[in-house]
Amino acid sequence: KLGDKEKSRDVLEQGFGAFIDSQSILIGLINYYMTNNQDPNRLFELISLAKENEPNNASLYYVEGNIYNELRAADPSKADEYVEKAVAAYDACAVINPEYEFGYIGKGVMFYNIAIDLQDKAANEYDDAKYQVLVEQFEKALIDAYEPFVKAYEVSKDNGIRVNVAEYLKNICYRFRDKEAKYQEGYDKYDAVVKSGQAE
């Protein structure tokens, strides 16, 4: 409010150093660097420092994936590059700790959101050929989201997280329920979980 941009950056960086998992501070830092046309590589410097201190902390790679995902949304011209880097970071979570569900969730949510964006574009596309291409890309993004969500559902021990993941899986399975039996079975399973509020 006082307009002291440097001070706001310093406070955000201190907060990020103390609370590396805080999504709100992370988004605040990303917004700061993007809004003020400053190099967001500073964010990766902060993550790199944290990794040196805790090389086996899977959550640091999860945060790194989230940064690339946020940058993907903010800069569509580099979307493919950022998606590739986000996937590498999310996958690194599983290498460090295969039971860490958030790496799988981060990857699943990213591809699911990409699918939603493509669905919106397709809905506004009147050229049939372009529409079909967008639909194919939309379905591929949903498939890319499916396996990470399944893995997250399998490894998580938190019922609330599993029910939330089941909501995504239910929606994905609904789309493909007429194409493969596993998706119809998946829809029935995850729909029941969402309705009951209890994971199997």
Side-chain angles (χ1 to χ4, degrees):
K1 288 182 178 179
L2 295 173
D4 190 337
K5 293 180 180 179
E6 289 189 9
K7 184 65 175 176
S8 67
R9 178 200 61 208
D10 292 345
V11 170
L12 283 168
E13 288 199 6
Q14 289 170 18
F16 189 57
F19 305 100
I20 192 74
D21 291 329
S22 171
Q23 191 71 4
S24 59
I25 295 176
L26 170 60
I27 291 173
L29 269 172
I30 291 169
N31 287 339
Y32 173 83
Y33 284 105
M34 301 299 286
T35 302
N36 292 287
N37 295 317
Q38 295 194 17
D39 187 357
N41 283 326
R42 174 59 181 153
L43 294 169
F44 298 108
E45 290 175 9
L46 295 169
I47 289 287
S48 180
L49 290 171
K51 284 181 186 174
E52 287 178 15
N53 294 329
E54 298 180 80
N56 295 318
N57 185 342
S59 68
L60 297 177
Y61 292 87
Y62 170 66
V63 171
E64 183 178 27
N66 288 347
I67 292 173
Y68 281 121
N69 187 26
E70 292 288 339
L71 291 173
R72 170 199 65 79
D75 186 0
S77 70
K78 295 183 179 178
D80 291 344
E81 174 188 343
Y82 288 138
V83 166
E84 184 177 337
K85 290 180 177 179
V87 166
Y90 290 136
D91 286 348
C93 295
V95 173
I96 293 170
N97 181 4
E99 302 299 309
Y100 181 74
E101 64 262 59
F102 294 105
Y104 305 117
I105 291 171
K107 185 176 178 180
V109 168
M110 179 179 71
F111 281 117
Y112 191 88
N113 288 338
I114 289 171
I116 296 302
D117 289 343
L118 288 164
Q119 184 180 46
D120 291 341
K121 287 180 181 177
N124 294 311
E125 180 56 65
Y126 297 103
D127 182 296
D128 188 61
K130 291 179 181 178
Y131 170 81
Q132 292 300 330
V133 169
L134 288 168
V135 168
E136 288 176 10
Q137 292 173 344
F138 159 71
E139 291 188 340
K140 181 184 182 305
L142 283 183
I143 295 298
D144 288 340
Y146 178 75
E147 289 300 335
F149 279 138
V150 168
K151 194 65 179 176
Y153 184 86
E154 290 174 351
V155 303
S156 180
K157 296 174 176 58
D158 184 290
N159 184 70
I161 290 174
R162 296 182 80 204
V163 172
N164 287 337
V165 170
E167 180 73 46
Y168 285 105
L169 285 166
K170 167 191 164 182
N171 295 337
I172 294 170
C173 288
Y174 183 81
R175 174 72 186 188
F176 300 110
R177 69 195 186 285
D178 296 329
K179 295 187 176 182
E180 283 188 53
K182 75 172 184 178
Y183 292 116
Q184 180 62 62
E185 292 168 5
Y187 175 77
D188 293 338
K189 171 183 175 179
Y190 299 119
D191 182 51
V193 169
V194 172
K195 286 177 178 175
S196 69
Q198 292 295 320
E200 296 177 352

